[in-house]
Amino acid sequence: MAPAPRQMTGVFPRDLALAGRSLRALLQALRSRLKTATEEEWALRRPFLWLPAAAGAGAVFYLVAATEPAMWVVGPFSAICAALAYLSRDRRGLCAFLVALAALGTGEFFGGWRAARVDAPILERVFVGELAGFVEEVDYRVQGARFLLRPIEAQGLAPERTPYRVRLTSRGHPSFAAGDFIVVKARLLPPGHASLPGGYDFARDAYFARIGAVGSALSPAQAVPPPESPGWGLRFFAAVDRARNALALRVAEAIGGDNGAIGAAMVTGKRDLLSDGAKETIRKAGIFHIITISGVQMTLVAGIFFVGLRQLMAFSRTLALNYPIKKWAAGLAMQGACCYALFTGSRVGSERALFMTLILLGSVLVDRPALTMRNLAFAALAVIILQPEALLGASFQLSFAAVAALVAVYESRATAVGFVAGAKAADGTHPGMPPRETKEAARSLAENLAERSRHGIPGALFATFCATSATASFMAYDFHELSPYVLIGNPLTLAMIELFAVPAALLGSLLYPFGLDGWVWSYLGAGIGMIMTVAGWIGSAPGANVSLPAFAPWSIVCLTLAVLSAALWRTWTLRLTALPLLALGLLGAASGGRFDLAVPPNGDLAALRDADGALTILGKRNDEFATEQWLRADADPRNGTERAGRCDAHGCVGLLPNGESAALVLDYSAFHEDCARAQVVISPLYAPRSCAPKILLDRARLAQTGAVTLQFGEKGVEWRAARAPGEDRPWSRAPHRSDRARPVSSGASPSALAARDASPQPAQQRDDPSEDLGE
């Protein structure tokens, strides 16, 4: 019996040694594959494409930092890293690391430079008074209008505290147009911050748009003679806006209904005429980008200009034989694309498309390849330099991810075609090459696959699938939903744009001044009617929209790196690095914590989770935007929620999932009773010092935290706040001293407390981020 253990102890080390050698061989083979793939990527100069990604990361870091970075440190740091990278150019690894650091610092520097360029006063409290200024832009709605005003004078506000630009809404049809000088009584509010931690922050976007206040007109505006002449820039863009509105109203009237509003949006970029029902229909069908001016329109317009002008000049034998008419046509097409972008309203999606179109046509001027990932990288760098704040917007993320995927597909097809060409040129009798019959079969198979991937419906569906997959993570992160039928909707949208929208926009715009454009809009309306019918079928199909809960904040970083790895690398060895990044991102998407209580930054309502696990609203005010954000983050497909708790003139009382009570205090007289019986007290007012519940979310606390969510579990309460501790940014200033403390003694009367708060916390206005969907 004794020899058996000795025999096993002898076998086990041999097995272990064999396994070790196999593992070492596997790691060595993997290392060799990675080294070969890296050398190939360097030979193709693909690492350059990661420079915009590094610069973009630096810009994002600037935008999300809690305090303002010191630009006098960031700028020299980037320059030093760039200089050291040049000196160490013979050591590739060190040089790449230093270049990445330089790009990160450069992106952060451009973020700070952009913020310094647009810095302007932001309204701090509610303002009610008379405004006088120039109208910059007017957007007509189904009822009323929304317009931008550049105030010259604001009643009761010093010039240094007057916002540079305000956005107002009017209930009636305005009697003024862009470029007019008006006087109007208005109620203004500070731009609204995120109603959910990690949600859309309109205040940040408003800051970079130099909008210092939003509100509504309280009286009809009166056009009066201006006290001074507007600048040439304001006059030019006002004239463009007047022309856009005239054409948009003409298209909407000629077609009629929501189809007319869609036609106006497709032709001019004016989208506010569309009803909420039509927006919901195209959103459910996954074709919201049909009402945006995207890269497809920009490319088609530039292509029409380029091909048309080149063919026109080719009619002249003298020009065709003696002059570079191709380059002339490219130069004129660049001017046409710029004019089209100006007329349709310059947004991030159209600007990205314009940048890439200009680079593409510029490549024709210098005899270089046009459709490459390098051109997209230059377009991304242009956006980072000019508008780095766009990186946090859905428009930039969706448009660049989709175009990167499409260019990667194009490059893969070009590689396949190159393989076919190489196979055709190879000699089957060459030593070391396979027999001619084998090569013929391989060439036939590769040629067939390449041809199938380049043309026809399979190729279009494959490209759509790749673009949809690249944008899926951003769609889910930003809007908490996915459209499974987008593979049907997107090809229909592209066909609609190519066959109806762009030809009608160009031809109708030319015929409109002569009054001969009616038949063009009828043609466009017929195409819109067909696609809206299909959109209705898609939107009503089972599972047309899949709601997803909020992701963990770090997950989008992994998902972005996965998209970049799959699109930017050319070798499959490095492309496969996207798989572990994707796995981490999906893990973060699945681990996004739910919340049992959500409170907006103004504290005048809250979302509670009831006993059935659904969200309900505690409060008397109806905030559709905040409610929609809460429901989307909770993967709740409902359009609205029911009211929870008991409410009276002084506030509301409700129950939390853990059985504790929550009170929403709207009047100072209710603090004494609610603070004594409720475990959670929420209020847009300052609570007295005597108010000491388990959790207090009053005006002073919310000024420090912004919007908050709470989750009640066995281990306690898990908090998430929209504002970082000590946050102080130009668009999110640190609270004033009066907002950080409650100086009134506990014995003060309710009237004294009310007198102290002369300016109640306003209900804040925001934009809907879904308006940028798919640009």
Side-chain angles (χ1 to χ4, degrees):
M1 299 295 296
R6 287 195 296 270
Q7 185 177 3
M8 291 181 64
T9 56
V11 172
F12 181 72
R14 289 199 299 270
D15 294 340
L16 184 62
L18 181 61
R21 286 195 295 271
S22 300
L23 180 60
R24 286 194 297 270
L26 178 62
L27 292 177
Q28 186 175 1
L30 179 61
R31 179 181 179 184
S32 177
R33 290 288 298 273
L34 287 174
K35 183 177 180 180
T36 303
T38 303
E39 293 295 336
E40 184 176 346
E41 296 289 351
W42 275 100
L44 295 172
R45 300 181 180 180
R46 302 298 284 190
F48 166 80
L49 303 177
W50 288 87
L51 284 180
V60 169
F61 177 79
Y62 171 82
L63 294 170
V64 302
T67 58
E68 195 70 12
M71 292 298 107
W72 62 272
V73 175
V74 175
F77 171 79
S78 302
I80 292 173
C81 288
L84 292 176
Y86 177 78
L87 295 176
S88 60
R89 58 190 181 276
D90 294 334
R91 302 175 61 183
R92 192 167 63 186
L94 178 61
C95 179
F97 176 72
L98 292 172
V99 168
L101 288 180
L104 282 168
T106 302
E108 187 175 359
F109 178 81
F110 279 120
W113 183 41
R114 168 69 170 169
R117 296 202 317 268
V118 302
D119 188 51
I122 299 176
L123 193 68
E124 297 181 354
R125 298 183 180 274
V126 177
F127 167 87
V128 178
E130 197 171 75
L131 298 173
F134 290 99
V135 179
E136 289 189 336
E137 182 179 314
V138 179
D139 292 320
Y140 296 104
R141 291 181 164 182
V142 179
Q143 293 181 348
R146 182 172 67 176
F147 60 96
L148 289 177
L149 182 72
R150 187 181 297 183
I152 302 299
E153 183 180 355
Q155 182 182 13
L157 285 181
E160 64 273 9
R161 299 182 62 186
T162 301
Y164 177 83
R165 183 179 288 125
V166 300
R167 196 186 69 183
L168 297 170
T169 57
S170 62
R171 294 184 179 180
H173 191 80
S175 59
F176 54 84
D180 291 343
F181 187 86
I182 64 171
V183 176
V184 61
K185 186 176 182 180
R187 181 176 186 266
L188 298 180
L189 310 170
H193 290 280
S195 58
L196 189 71
Y200 173 67
D201 190 357
F202 172 63
R204 183 180 57 226
D205 285 355
Y207 172 82
F208 285 101
R210 308 193 77 179
I211 298 177
V214 296
S216 56
L218 302 179
S219 65
Q222 296 180 354
V224 298
E228 59 186 46
S229 177
W232 68 269
L234 194 152
R235 292 199 303 269
F236 173 76
F237 287 105
V240 171
D241 187 71
R242 290 195 299 270
R244 291 178 64 199
N245 277 324
L247 185 58
L249 294 176
R250 166 60 178 158
V251 175
E253 181 182 357
I255 299 176
D258 282 326
N259 289 354
I262 292 175
M266 298 176 74
V267 173
T268 66
K270 293 284 186 176
R271 301 181 294 184
D272 285 359
L273 292 171
L274 195 62
S275 68
D276 292 337
K279 288 182 180 179
E280 186 69 12
T281 298
I282 60 178
R283 184 186 66 83
K284 287 184 176 180
I287 58 171
F288 199 95
H289 50 285
I290 194 175
I291 62 171
T292 63
I293 305 299
S294 62
V296 177
Q297 288 97 316
M298 188 67 65
T299 303
L300 286 174
V301 168
I304 290 174
F305 278 119
F306 175 68
V307 175
L309 292 171
R310 187 181 181 187
Q311 293 294 331
L312 186 63
M313 287 186 285
F315 282 116
S316 171
R317 182 184 296 272
T318 302
L319 292 178
L321 296 179
N322 298 284
Y323 298 96
I325 61 173
K326 180 180 178 181
K327 295 183 178 181
W328 288 6
L332 293 173
M334 294 171 72
Q335 299 179 37
C338 291
C339 293
Y340 179 74
L342 284 174
F343 184 76
T344 55
S346 183
R347 301 177 72 91
V348 176
S350 59
E351 287 173 357
R352 183 269 309 158
L354 176 63
F355 293 152
M356 190 166 183
T357 301
L358 294 179
I359 293 172
L360 186 148
L361 293 172
S363 301
V364 176
L365 295 178
V366 295
D367 300 318
R368 298 294 298 272
L371 189 59
T372 64
M373 196 72 76
R374 185 177 295 267
N375 289 345
L376 182 62
F378 284 127
L381 286 174
V383 174
I384 293 170
I385 293 172
L386 299 176
Q387 292 183 335
E389 72 277 8
L391 272 66
L392 293 182
S395 176
F396 176 90
Q397 296 165 5
L398 295 174
S399 61
F400 269 84
V403 174
L406 293 175
V407 174
V409 171
Y410 172 82
E411 290 179 338
S412 298
R413 291 172 178 175
T415 302
V417 173
F419 172 77
V420 172
K424 287 182 178 180
D427 183 3
T429 60
H430 191 277
M433 299 292 290
R436 183 178 300 274
E437 293 79 4
T438 305
K439 286 200 63 62
E440 289 291 341
R443 184 181 66 221
S444 177
L445 176 61
E447 187 172 6
N448 188 32
L449 291 175
E451 194 65 25
R452 286 179 176 271
S453 68
R454 295 179 65 191
H455 302 293
I457 295 178
L461 290 178
F462 178 71
T464 302
F465 172 78
C466 292
T468 303
S469 301
T471 59
S473 56
F474 302 106
M475 182 75 71
Y477 182 82
D478 291 323
F479 303 105
H480 311 296
E481 65 179 13
L482 289 175
S483 300
Y485 302 129
V486 71
L487 290 178
I488 302 175
N490 269 341
L492 290 176
T493 303
L494 294 176
M496 171 67 198
I497 292 172
E498 292 179 3
L499 298 178
F500 292 92
V502 172
L506 295 178
L507 186 59
S509 300
L510 291 175
L511 297 179
Y512 169 66
F514 303 98
L516 303 175
D517 57 329
W519 67 272
V520 178
W521 309 131
S522 298
Y523 170 75
L524 177 60
I528 295 175
M530 289 188 294
I531 198 168
M532 287 301 290
T533 300
V534 178
W537 295 341
I538 296 175
S540 60
N545 278 90
V546 178
S547 298
L548 300 171
F551 292 7
W554 55 268
S555 63
I556 192 61
V557 177
C558 297
L559 293 173
T560 301
L561 290 175
V563 172
L564 291 174
S565 297
L568 300 187
W569 296 127
R570 291 291 296 273
T571 58
W572 282 103
T573 301
L574 291 181
R575 276 185 173 177
L576 290 176
T577 58
L579 294 179
L581 293 169
L582 177 62
L584 287 174
L586 294 178
L587 178 63
S591 61
R594 298 181 69 190
F595 56 87
D596 298 321
L597 174 66
V599 182
N602 49 357
D604 58 352
L605 74 161
L608 299 177
R609 194 171 301 281
D610 60 18
D612 297 330
L615 291 179
T616 55
I617 297 299
L618 181 68
K620 296 187 293 183
R621 187 176 69 85
N622 185 24
D623 189 338
E624 294 182 0
F625 180 86
T627 302
E628 181 185 9
Q629 297 300 300
W630 292 333
L631 290 177
R632 285 187 176 183
D634 199 48
D636 193 330
R638 291 179 296 168
N639 293 326
T641 62
E642 298 178 355
R643 297 284 159 173
R646 304 184 305 274
C647 293
D648 56 25
H650 304 291
C652 304
V653 177
L655 288 178
L656 294 167
N658 60 356
E660 297 180 342
S661 62
L664 176 65
V665 180
L666 301 177
D667 188 88
Y668 286 108
S669 60
F671 272 118
H672 178 72
E673 181 180 358
D674 288 336
C675 291
R677 67 181 181 183
Q679 285 75 36
V680 179
V681 174
I682 307 161
S683 178
L685 311 173
Y686 291 107
R689 293 186 185 276
S690 60
C691 184
K694 182 178 179 181
I695 297 176
L696 175 62
L697 295 170
D698 68 339
R699 180 170 178 176
R701 184 64 183 275
L702 292 173
Q704 302 176 46
T705 63
V708 296
T709 59
L710 283 73
Q711 184 176 11
F712 301 92
E714 297 179 355
K715 297 181 179 180
V717 181
E718 181 180 347
W719 287 67
R720 280 195 63 196
R723 285 178 56 88
E727 180 174 320
D728 188 12
R729 304 306 307 276
W731 54 87
S732 181
R733 292 296 185 187
H736 296 292
R737 184 178 182 84
S738 60
D739 293 331
R740 294 195 296 267
R742 291 173 282 136
V744 177
S745 64
S746 60
S749 64
S751 59
L753 289 167
R756 178 193 61 181
D757 189 12
S759 176
Q761 192 79 336
Q764 309 216 0
Q765 294 188 3
R766 309 168 182 88
D767 264 353
D768 185 356
S770 65
E771 291 184 355
D772 290 333
L773 183 62
E775 281 191 342

